[in-house]
Amino acid sequence: MYAVIKTGGKQYRVQPGDLLVVEKLDGEPGADVAFGDVLMLGDGDTVTLGAPIVDGASVSATLIETRKGEKVKIFKKIRRQGYRRTRGHRQLESVLRVTSIAGVGKTDKWDGEVDLTTKAVLDARARGLAPRVEVEDKPAKAAPKKADAAPVDAEAEGPKAEAKPKAAPKKAAAPKAEAGETKAAPKKAAAKKESDAE
């Protein structure tokens, strides 16, 4: 069974269990909302049209959240006049879960549970950014420090110890030249000798 309802100056085709985003409605999350402006009811091949609404028909829904929608940019420009204006707008909207449709002697209900998780939390979960939930306060075992750690016996480990190459010892640093000593670049000296030979 489906219905066409009117709210916020717009029309929506809904079925029980549908998630619906409409213009902002009053109410707290979890509140029940009823729509009396049912323009059409459909059940299989049977269609009931209203004139303008179907008498005695109603659609029930549960309010999940009221939020701001996607940002719309408004940009104005008058060419050759140096006039530019940029504005943004986010429309307030309500998210609903349709629970039942009643009318023309029939009722169709949704059997599922309404989850009041907001879209922001669902998006964060999808990106792996959901807040962590602490289960119990257990004292964490501290990792042993390097100085306290027991030395590893190479013979006890067996083939694993042999497979690991040891790090090569570091080379000794070259002695630094004293402040008074300077070395000439060998390329320049070679260039001078060639010019003198000619």
Side-chain angles (χ1 to χ4, degrees), residues 10-153:
K10 301 180 181 71
Q11 296 177 10
Y12 302 92
R13 182 187 188 277
V14 296
Q15 288 179 322
D18 283 355
L19 196 65
L20 186 64
V21 180
V22 299
E23 295 288 325
K24 181 181 179 250
L25 298 171
D26 293 332
E28 295 295 319
D32 291 329
V33 180
F35 297 101
D37 293 340
V38 179
L39 306 176
M40 186 176 92
L41 284 173
D43 186 18
D45 295 335
T46 308
V47 175
T48 306
L49 294 173
I53 60 172
V54 178
D55 293 331
S58 66
V59 173
S60 299
T62 302
L63 183 66
I64 294 175
E65 70 169 324
T66 300
R67 66 184 187 199
K68 284 187 175 183
E70 296 295 321
K71 181 176 277 190
V72 178
K73 285 188 177 180
I74 298 100
F75 180 71
K76 301 179 193 176
K77 178 183 176 182
I78 300 177
R79 61 182 183 167
R80 296 189 294 271
Q81 305 302 316
Y83 177 83
R84 289 177 168 213
R85 298 291 180 270
T86 303
R87 295 287 178 269
H89 175 71
R90 295 184 70 187
Q91 184 69 26
L92 290 172
E93 59 191 21
S94 294
V95 181
L96 306 167
R97 176 73 72 179
V98 178
T99 54
S100 67
I101 298 174
V104 196
K106 293 182 182 178
T107 303
D108 192 6
K109 292 188 177 182
W110 182 58
D111 297 333
E113 272 188 44
V114 177
D115 185 15
L116 297 180
T117 306
T118 62
K119 182 178 184 294
V121 173
L122 292 175
D123 290 345
R125 282 184 194 164
R127 290 181 290 164
L129 302 175
R132 295 182 182 177
V133 178
E134 297 294 332
V135 180
E136 293 180 11
D137 293 336
K138 292 183 179 179
K141 293 182 180 178
K145 296 180 181 177
K146 289 185 178 180
D148 297 340
V152 178
D153 187 14

